[in-house]
Amino acid sequence: MDCFMIILLSITISLGICFARLRRTRKTDRTSGMKSRYLSEKNMSVSIDKK
Amino acid sequence: MYTCPNCGSDMIYDIASKKLKCSHCETLIDIEWEGDHEEYELDDYGSLLLDTIINTENSVENIDNNNKELSAEEIGKNIRSDLLNTRSDSGNPPLRTAEQVQDEYEATVFSCPQCGGIIKTVGTAIVDFCPYCGSTLMLSGRLQREKKPDYIIPFGKTKEECAEIYKERIEKAWCVPARYKDMSKVNQINGIFLPYWVYSVHQKGLLTYKYVDKENSRGKVSCYFEKSYNYVLYDAASSFSDPVSEDILDYDRHDFLLFNPAYLSGYYADNADVDKEKYIIQIQEKSCQMTNQIIENKILEKYKDLTNVYLADSKHLQEQFNSRITGVKEAMLPVWLLTWREKGSVVHAAINGKTGKISTRIPVDLKQFALYTGLMIVPVILLVYILLSALYGLFSLYGFEDFIPFLFPVHSQIPMVLWTEIFTLLGTGVLYCKTKEFKSAAAIDGNYMGKNNFDHAAAKGRKEKKEDGCFYDSGYVSSELHLLFIFGIALIGMPVLLRLLVTFCTIFLNDSGYAENVGDLICLLIYLFQTALMVFDIHQYNRGYVRSRKQMFNIYLLLAGIASGWAVVYRGSFLETSSSPVYYYVSLLIFAAILKDVIDNILAYNRSCVRLISDYYKRSK
């Protein structure tokens, strides 16, 4: 009984590790997204007043 | 176009020396400068209007006053009419003036008979290979005059360096099919200049923000701002997919040079065939959001006692921010494109020609994946066994034997609910990953999970394919999934808490009946949650989102698992489920569903890595 549980748990963990590893190596850098399109942001002038 | 003054051979742009180099006698010649690089250095907000095609009569103030009542679409139309005002009233192309002729350069234009892709070259280069679809049909070129783009970034990485980058990427990746390791394909790498639209955006206005401070009192903050964004890049070539062009966007604005056709010598160039007004709405929206975020942060920085700041009127951002596109220019940016054909599909890898940033999709070799998983099982079994034994030993040592059933939940209802829960959540995680992957996969030529599914979804109007090819309701999906995750984790935590309660009840109150009722409740909640997950899963399928008909099998398997789980619950033998064969049946069933889900996911990913040749045929028609 214990053996069954341990094996099943181990298979799941192994699959999970392999899958996570795959995702990590396949992942392309999409975080840059919009920001990478904006090569320069300049001239921010802000004047703030609390009413 | 460029011939060697010594021997008359063709000259090509040499990346190392940054000069034109004779392919025969290796003579080097400087590239003539047609003027200094015009920087968008804007030291005065008022003088922000750039030298653009846009009508200069519309000064910042005029546009501010005139366009206040216009919607974003109308502003877009106005800009479009300004931008495209190159035709005469009669509809005929206007006569070319001497200035216009100066703005042109001579290029040989090739058109691929299979995919319809346009390849331009300067010089006498022969194109016998299409860099987009990998077709080796001989292309016939014609000499014609092309409008000069405004800017260019010359190649900074050589073909050999890019081959190394690709090799490194392949070596780093896991479970790469053997055919991808064949480096002879790297010879088919082509240097190509891709056209990009370079936008400038200007915003200014008076905004009112609402705030909540630490004492929970509310108020308003007024803010005058002025902001400009320059060098906002968007892909102008339809033959290149937007997500890939976005992936490799890593250019520096200081690398932009005024266009000179000499830089194209020895390389291909693509045609700017995407309308420049196409991205206007998108740029307006995004730049307003970005500015809004910056202002919110600035307010929070200035007034430390505020806890929350938000725009008083969250609608009509463009109007509030007086956001305007102040200029659109065309730039040619360098990309190394590796293309080859295999099994009826085309494989692509794109590398930024200046910085070497790579974008490629490498399929997963299922045999290797199975092998690695198999190899990993043995140490994981050992680890789990050692961990449980150690905990068992510790608990026995310190006299907490009553807690052992909690650690070794074999003889209780916990294993079943915990197992199914882990499996279901893993499955949901896979679905979540898949959704994210497919958002980008779908963008690669609309070829994901088979074209039919895609068309089916589009035909029913369930989602709109935006200009960059992505489906935009994934935000909705991910947020809903996150909620489910939180719910799931809470529910997993609940049986643990309840189990502790049961243990305490049994020890201190000696009341096992109470424990059984708690067990009922746990199972009920868990299975309710799982049913909700399944319904959600099917709901996703109905939306034509992720799953193909084939993948429905997983859902049937999981549903069977849940039905069996419910059967076990009704049998009322929660505390001894592990002695029941049904328990093992349920565990195995759900495990099989998860396993199949992982495999399906990998196969679907593999399909999304390549583009079917048939898609190209469709495009050329």
Side-chain angles (χ1 to χ4, degrees):
Chain A
M1 300 293 171
D2 291 338
C3 204
F4 174 79
M5 294 298 297
I6 289 169
I7 290 171
L8 221 55
L9 182 63
S10 307
I11 295 171
T12 317
I13 293 172
S14 308
L15 264 178
I17 294 169
C18 286
F19 197 67
R21 175 80 207 264
L22 260 187
R23 269 188 54 74
R24 199 158 59 86
T25 56
R26 292 297 188 278
K27 204 173 156 191
T28 49
D29 182 20
R30 294 197 176 278
T31 49
S32 54
M34 278 310 293
K35 277 191 178 168
S36 66
R37 292 192 188 283
Y38 288 71
L39 295 194
S40 81
E41 318 165 14
K42 295 196 300 184
N43 294 348
M44 181 68 177
S45 83
V46 190
S47 59
I48 305 163
D49 288 308
K50 210 166 164 181
K51 281 179 184 173
Chain B
M1 193 171 179
Y2 295 95
T3 49
C4 176
N6 293 337
C7 67
S9 301
D10 281 345
M11 301 200 82
I12 58 166
Y13 177 72
D14 181 49
I15 295 168
S17 62
K18 295 180 181 173
K19 289 176 180 174
L20 281 176
K21 188 178 181 182
C22 174
S23 50
H24 182 67
C25 66
E26 300 196 347
T27 306
L28 290 172
I29 294 181
D30 280 328
I31 293 173
E32 281 178 34
W33 286 82
E34 294 183 356
D36 288 333
H37 171 38
E38 173 194 1
E39 271 279 356
Y40 286 150
E41 289 300 341
L42 308 166
D43 46 13
D44 175 8
Y45 303 131
S47 65
L48 192 95
L49 278 180
L50 303 169
D51 173 29
T52 60
I53 324 162
I54 199 160
N55 196 342
T56 47
E57 284 170 18
N58 291 334
S59 68
V60 177
E61 288 74 21
N62 285 341
I63 287 187
D64 288 346
N65 296 333
N66 297 337
N67 286 358
K68 261 182 186 163
E69 303 302 322
L70 295 180
S71 66
E73 286 81 5
E74 284 168 323
I75 295 170
K77 274 181 200 163
N78 288 350
I79 290 169
R80 177 168 49 193
S81 62
D82 285 338
L83 293 174
L84 305 179
N85 196 14
T86 50
R87 280 180 176 268
S88 64
D89 292 340
S90 61
N92 294 324
L95 289 171
R96 282 140 50 94
T97 62
E99 243 178 48
Q100 279 173 319
V101 173
Q102 250 190 9
D103 283 344
E104 292 174 347
Y105 69 102
E106 213 165 60
T108 318
V109 179
F110 297 88
S111 171
C112 173
Q114 269 195 14
C115 74
I118 302 285
I119 306 137
K120 289 189 281 194
T121 62
V122 295
T124 53
I126 293 168
V127 179
D128 55 359
F129 173 81
C130 174
Y132 307 117
C133 70
S135 158
T136 47
L137 290 172
M138 284 296 283
L139 309 174
S140 56
R142 60 185 187 281
L143 202 67
Q144 68 181 54
R145 295 197 70 79
E146 293 284 312
K147 190 184 170 297
K148 272 186 187 173
D150 302 278
Y151 299 117
I152 190 165
I153 297 182
F155 273 92
K157 294 274 176 196
T158 60
K159 191 173 178 174
E160 291 71 28
E161 282 171 324
C162 286
E164 274 304 309
I165 291 166
Y166 177 75
K167 206 174 153 189
E168 203 182 307
R169 174 80 176 79
I170 291 286
E171 276 168 3
K172 259 191 194 171
W174 217 51
C175 301
V176 181
R179 60 186 189 278
Y180 275 69
K181 290 178 181 166
D182 176 14
M183 285 301 147
S184 61
K185 287 179 181 116
V186 174
N187 295 329
Q188 293 170 11
I189 197 163
N190 281 295
I192 186 160
F193 281 95
L194 288 173
Y196 278 78
W197 294 125
V198 188
Y199 296 88
S200 304
V201 185
H202 178 246
Q203 305 165 330
K204 73 169 183 179
L206 188 64
L207 299 170
T208 307
Y209 281 83
K210 288 182 178 173
Y211 70 80
V212 183
D213 65 14
K214 283 174 184 164
E215 287 157 8
N216 215 19
S217 60
R218 290 163 188 271
K220 284 181 181 173
V221 176
S222 67
C223 151
Y224 176 79
F225 83 100
E226 187 150 3
K227 179 150 182 70
S228 57
Y229 295 94
N230 299 315
Y231 291 88
V232 182
L233 295 179
Y234 274 86
D235 176 17
S238 64
S239 35
F240 203 53
S241 81
D242 280 9
V244 177
S245 69
E246 193 181 290
D247 260 3
I248 56 165
L249 264 186
D250 191 23
Y251 300 101
D252 188 334
R253 71 188 194 87
H254 299 292
D255 291 330
F256 281 67
L257 301 176
L258 278 182
F259 179 80
N260 186 327
Y263 291 115
L264 298 184
S265 225
Y267 302 96
Y268 298 152
D270 198 353
N271 219 18
D273 53 357
V274 175
D275 286 341
K276 54 184 93 170
E277 78 271 18
K278 184 178 169 183
Y279 299 111
I280 285 174
I281 304 278
Q282 199 176 338
I283 293 169
Q284 298 272 37
E285 279 174 10
K286 292 286 175 188
S287 54
C288 287
Q289 284 166 11
M290 280 169 79
T291 309
N292 185 32
Q293 190 64 49
I294 294 167
I295 296 174
E296 280 178 9
N297 290 342
K298 281 191 184 282
I299 296 173
L300 288 172
E301 262 172 43
K302 186 171 179 183
Y303 301 108
K304 305 278 184 200
D305 58 326
L306 304 187
T307 54
N308 189 17
V309 175
Y310 53 94
L311 201 61
D313 177 10
S314 58
K315 292 173 185 169
H316 315 298
L317 284 188
Q318 275 100 320
E319 285 83 349
Q320 283 187 74
F321 283 73
N322 288 318
S323 185
R324 293 186 308 107
I325 305 283
T326 50
V328 188
K329 301 230 173 191
E330 188 186 339
M332 286 289 203
L333 307 183
V335 175
W336 286 103
L337 210 54
L338 175 59
T339 314
W340 77 83
R341 286 190 173 197
E342 61 162 40
K343 292 180 186 170
S345 54
V346 180
V347 183
H348 272 302
I351 302 165
N352 184 318
K354 188 71 187 175
T355 63
K357 193 178 178 195
I358 187 168
S359 165
T360 184
R361 290 177 161 264
I362 310 157
V364 176
D365 193 273
L366 261 182
K367 279 180 196 162
Q368 282 187 44
F369 182 78
L371 181 74
Y372 287 133
T373 315
L375 286 177
M376 215 172 270
I377 288 169
V378 179
V380 172
I381 286 179
L382 282 174
L383 267 176
V384 171
Y385 184 76
I386 290 167
L387 191 75
L388 287 177
S389 307
L391 283 169
Y392 186 88
L394 273 175
F395 272 61
S396 309
L397 199 66
Y398 292 99
F400 292 110
E401 282 89 356
D402 289 327
F403 284 93
I404 288 171
F406 169 64
L407 265 182
F408 283 87
V410 181
H411 300 292
S412 71
Q413 81 280 17
I414 297 295
M416 190 180 70
V417 290
L418 214 57
W419 269 113
T420 48
E421 208 47 56
I422 289 169
F423 287 146
T424 314
L425 277 181
L426 190 68
T428 316
V430 168
L431 174 71
Y432 178 59
C433 301
K434 214 184 297 189
T435 312
K436 279 180 78 179
E437 276 294 332
F438 284 153
K439 188 193 159 214
S440 43
I444 296 183
D445 319 320
N447 170 32
Y448 85 116
M449 301 309 298
K451 196 102 172 105
N452 289 338
N453 199 24
F454 191 86
D455 290 342
H456 174 72
K460 293 215 169 182
R462 283 179 180 144
K463 47 184 162 280
E464 187 189 352
K465 192 185 174 192
K466 290 272 175 78
E467 55 273 353
D468 61 356
C470 293
F471 285 131
Y472 270 81
D473 50 357
S474 65
Y476 164 72
V477 169
S478 58
S479 61
E480 211 165 55
L481 268 172
H482 276 134
L483 272 178
L484 279 173
F485 266 120
I486 293 163
F487 188 48
I489 288 160
L491 274 178
I492 280 188
M494 202 183 286
V496 175
L497 282 174
L498 288 174
R499 178 68 205 170
L500 276 173
L501 192 71
V502 171
T503 315
F504 275 106
C505 284
T506 322
I507 296 167
F508 297 111
L509 305 174
N510 204 12
D511 182 2
S512 59
Y514 181 70
E516 274 185 32
N517 290 336
V518 170
D520 276 349
L521 188 67
I522 296 167
C523 285
L524 192 72
L525 283 175
I526 293 298
Y527 283 109
L528 268 177
F529 170 62
Q530 282 178 337
T531 313
L533 267 186
M534 286 306 105
V535 169
F536 177 71
D537 217 8
I538 293 164
H539 174 63
Q540 285 301 305
Y541 168 74
N542 286 339
R543 286 166 63 87
Y545 206 92
V546 172
R547 290 176 184 273
S548 67
R549 276 173 210 286
K550 214 168 116 191
Q551 280 192 311
M552 276 301 279
F553 181 64
N554 302 0
I555 295 177
Y556 296 143
L557 265 182
L558 283 166
L559 278 175
I562 286 164
S564 318
W566 275 104
V568 176
V569 172
Y570 279 112
R571 274 186 71 215
S573 57
F574 321 106
L575 294 174
E576 289 300 328
T577 43
S578 62
S579 62
S580 152
V582 179
Y583 160 69
Y584 295 103
Y585 160 70
V586 171
S587 295
L588 283 173
L589 205 61
I590 293 173
F591 178 75
I594 298 301
L595 188 68
K596 191 169 178 300
D597 213 28
V598 171
I599 293 170
D600 274 351
N601 192 18
I602 292 171
L603 289 177
Y605 172 80
N606 286 356
R607 278 196 295 276
S608 76
C609 288
V610 293
R611 185 174 162 174
L612 297 175
I613 290 173
S614 55
D615 286 348
Y616 287 97
Y617 287 122
K618 279 176 200 161
R619 208 175 117 233
S620 62
K621 283 169 190 169

